[in-house]
Each structure stands twice: as structure tokens, then as C-alpha cells.
Amino acid sequence: MTFESTWNPHSPVAQQRREAALARLAQWQALQNRAALASAQSKPVFDKRGQLLPRERVALLLDPGAPFLPLCALAGFVQDTPDPTKSVPGGGMIAGIGFISGVRCMVVASDSGIEAGAIQARGLEKILRVQELALENKLPFVHLVESAGANLMQYKVEGFVLGGSLFRNLARLSAAGLPVLTVQHGSGTAGGAYMPGLSDTVIMVRGRSRAFLAGPPLLKAATGEVATEEELGGAEMHTSVSGLGEYLCEDDRHALGTARDVVARWDWAARSTQHKDNNTFKPPRFDAEELLGLMPAHHREPIDMREVILRLVDDSDFLEFKPLFGAATVCAQARIGGHAVGIISNNGPIDVAGANKATHFIQWMCQLGHPIIYLQNTTGYMVGKDSEQGGMIKHGSKMIQAVTSATVPQITIQCGASFGAGNYGMCGRGYAPRFLFSWPGAKTAVMGGEQAARTMQIVAEAGMARKGITPAPEKMQAQFDKIVALFEAQADAFYTSGLVLDDGVIDPRDTRSVLSFCLDTCAESAARQPRAMPFGVARM
């Protein structure tokens, strides 16, 4: 059965939705630019020191013209300060997947133009997440380090304790046969010194690189010993005396050129495999621009997610699975960027039939070895007497079991609503999808704000009635409004992305290219056979 589009992208409804989406995208772009602008304010200082800004370093490291997928760009939004107009997102670092000398790598750079590269709010969660992605996708890990470390004025013991996972992951990456390369552009103090210490290869810059467990002030306070930074941990000392560094470079450009040379000599580019069909697929027959007019600003407005699928898949061609059974749950087979995939989406709540269909489809995709794409747009599992008596709990649980145990890569895009257990059944963050991205208008919550407020109002009124108290309408309305505001603020995609509950917010028009990049990464990972060892490479 072939699905024919009935959407009119020129209709008043489409135009209204498009304007709302563009306004939201403008907010998102401004937030992303905020960290870059804040970092760029340090340019006079960097110029005086003969250094490149962090984003200039990343640009020189990566292959010109090759794709780069930024990750967790909004990390820390409204976590550093509750004022959204002053918050600087990013977590104090730049991260993403890109190509170095033809090799697909995970790249992380300290944003040392902001607070000297100190890790910002949610920065730890961000780097742990990208390390996890590197391990799961068999990606080499390249780190451009210049960090003041943790901000001692904002010290929290849990950050110190859990921060050890960052270094543990470096050892895991190396032991998994995934090269770890550090370019030490500046300081790495205390725990930060273990970044080069747990790397397979370290590149240092004369007169700029520093790595020591205790800098001169701490050394003097702890032991009374007086020493210079160069004696304790300078680049020349580490490359000629301690052996911590392999390569001594004259400046940032020299160091980045050396890094590209080191990566090229891994000879991984020749062993990296692109999907064999990548050069034969046809683009969608519908314009990606139309995605902006498709999605409503509020989850109560209907949307046929098959219209979204048409604008994402190769040649706008897909085969819907069981289209007449559990129709509110959409399951389809298609190709994206030449990759055969299964797609699951929602045209409403997930009912008993929809849960059973999705379970069947997930298991079938695992049998075929096809990655599964989840396009979330659901208010959750169906409730009500008929649904409960029909076994919604056990059938929804069956779907959750299938998602949990799936043996193929799963990639989630939060397009619209992601409420209740629907977030779980549609492979939300708690179910470890390989990648998860959000559209700017997506909402994530245990339920909608008005439903939560109405629930609490009913409970409160019932409690007062038992005590013979008549509720004051103005107080009940104030409580209602407060709960709605609380839920709406936390459901917002920018807020959840600030908590690193996704891998980034993306422009809906870029969804196909993001999915293609992620599918290429998964396919390359499946073909790649690193030489795993019992231990990481130990520095000698």
C-alpha cells in the first residue's frame, strides 16, 4: 500500500506553523552562537600569546569540507544561571564527530576562551556522553586540551568523585583498541594531568603546554617546595625528561598539523567502510523545508507522521507495516542515505494493537539486521477502562522489552510530544539509543502540564472535600497555573538538552543528513575491527 501526501505546504495552517518554527529556530541559533561569541571575546589574549581560539583549532584539525556532527551544544543551558538570557551553553567544551585525515573520530576541545577552559555546568555529563558514543561507535578519541580544570569556587564533591569516570573511559577506549590522542595546547592541572597520562599519544606546544599534579601554588602550600611551571610540567621537560609527551611542537598550528599526521599514520581511513549503496540512493521527492510547516507548536494539534517520513527517506519511498492494524502507531521500512532502516512513529497514543505491532516490527528489524529510527510524537500509552482491561500494561511492557533487547542500532528523533511511558517505549534517553536528537519544538515530560495541574487539582479538591473545606477558586487557579508553568518549563527542548538528555537540538530540515551521518557511523562501526587488549596502552 502506497501512502500519498495530502499536505498542502502553502496552506494558512502550514504557513502559521512555519513562522512559529522559524522563530524557535532563531532562538536556538542564538543560544548556539552565544558560547562562540563569548569565547571569541578572548581573541586579543590568544593573539598576544600566539595561540588559536578553540574553534579555530577544531577547524584546522578537521578535514576541509568534510561533514561534522556537533554534539550536546546546549549542555548546561540555564544550569550555570537560571536566567536564560545570560546562560552560556556548551558545558565549557566543543564536541562532535568529524573526519581527520579521512578517519571518522570523536573530537573534543576545551573552550578555553571561556573561564580558561574550566568545565562548566553539565560539562562532565557531556564529555562522559561523548566518550560513551566513541566506545559504542568504535571511534578514535581526539582531545584538544587547555583547561583550568574544575572551578574550586564552585567545588562539589560529587563532581570530583564521578569525574574519575572520565579517566576510566580513556583507559577503556585504549583497551578497546580505539586510539586516544591528546594535543596539550595549554594547562592540565591535577586531575587534568591524567588526560595526557591516559592518552596513547600526546602532542605538546613549547612554552604553552603544562601538565602537573600540583602547580607551583599548591606545591608550595603542600610541601613548601618552590619550582617553576616549566620545571614541574612544561612541554620541553615532558618530551625530554618525563616522557609524558611524544611530540614537541612550536605553536598550535604545528601541533594540529602533527595531530593530522599522527592520525593519517594509523592507516584507519583505508579500513573505514562507507555503505555500499551510499552513491546510488535518490533524495526525497518532497522539500525538507516543508517539515517546518508540518509540525504543530502544540501536541494537541494532529499531524500525520507519514508526511514527515516522506520528507526524510530516499525517493520518498516507504512500505508501511500493518497499516490497518494499530493505525496510530506507524511502522515502515525505507532507506535513508542508502541504508535499509525500520521506522517507528506515532499519530497519537500507543494503544494495545499499536504496542503489539511495534513489538513485532522491532523483532523483525533485528532479524533483518536493519537499524531502527524512532520519530517520537506521542502523549504516551492509551489509558481508560477498555485499554486497561485489554492488557495495555502487559502489551506496553512487551514493547519496552523489545526496545531494551534490540540487537540493532536504534536512533531516536524527538519530533513532537514525548510524554509518559511513550518516551520509554519509543526508545527515550533511558533506553540507550545509539543517538538521540530533538527538534526545537519537542516536549518531554511525564505528562502534559495541564494534565498534571488538573490531576493535582482533583486530588486537592477531593482532600478538602473530605475535611469539609470549600476550596478558594483563586487559590486553586494559582496552583493550577504554577504547576502548568513548572511542567512547561522543564518539558522544553532547550531545557532538556541543557541537562544533556539528548545529543543535541537539530534543525528539522537537517534531520535526513543527521540520520545519514549517524547511519554511516553505525555501519562503519559494524565493519571496523579494532585490536582490543586487556589493558590500555601504558605510557613508558
Side-chain angles (χ1 to χ4, degrees), residues 353-429:
N356 277 293
K357 177 167 75 171
T359 301
H360 182 170
F361 188 73
I362 291 166
Q363 293 177 342
W364 187 31
M365 291 302 101
C366 290
Q367 184 190 64
L368 296 176
H370 294 174
I372 302 170
I373 310 295
Y374 297 85
L375 302 176
Q376 289 192 359
N377 181 48
T378 183
T379 52
Y381 286 99
M382 185 68 79
V383 297
K385 184 174 68 175
D386 291 343
S387 180
E388 298 287 7
Q389 292 180 357
M392 188 69 260
I393 294 173
K394 68 179 183 182
H395 294 300
S397 298
K398 189 162 55 183
M399 179 178 171
I400 287 172
Q401 286 179 323
V403 171
T404 301
S405 303
T407 54
V408 295
Q410 300 181 99
I411 302 172
T412 300
I413 307 291
Q414 295 190 173
C415 301
S418 178
F419 291 165
N423 174 277
Y424 304 160
M426 288 294 292
C427 202
R429 182 61 137 192

Side-chain angles (χ1 to χ4, degrees), residues 50-63:
Q51 290 185 295
L52 297 171
L53 284 168
R55 284 164 182 77
E56 293 173 332
R57 293 169 182 167
V58 172
L60 277 176
L61 177 70
L62 297 171
D63 294 350

Side-chain angles (χ1 to χ4, degrees), residues 20-30 292 440 494 506-509:
L22 287 172
R24 187 72 172 160
L25 282 168
Q27 296 174 5
W28 166 68
Q29 193 62 59
L292 297 185
F494 299 164
I506 61 172
D507 187 325
R509 295 168 293 187

Side-chain angles (χ1 to χ4, degrees), residues 18-58:
R18 176 181 170 79
E19 290 303 314
L22 287 172
R24 187 72 172 160
L25 282 168
Q27 296 174 5
W28 166 68
Q29 193 62 59
L31 287 178
Q32 289 203 120
N33 291 341
R34 193 176 290 173
L37 291 171
S39 185
Q41 290 179 359
S42 299
K43 184 171 175 56
V45 176
F46 277 68
D47 287 346
K48 186 176 181 180
R49 297 191 304 223
Q51 290 185 295
L52 297 171
L53 284 168
R55 284 164 182 77
E56 293 173 332
R57 293 169 182 167
V58 172

Side-chain angles (χ1 to χ4, degrees), residues 203-233:
I203 299 168
M204 292 189 157
V205 180
R206 190 190 306 273
R208 297 305 322 166
S209 298
R210 298 284 187 272
F212 28 57
L213 296 180
L218 178 57
L219 180 68
K220 185 175 182 180
T223 69
E225 183 180 353
V226 176
T228 67
E229 287 191 343
E230 181 59 39
E231 290 171 327
L232 283 175

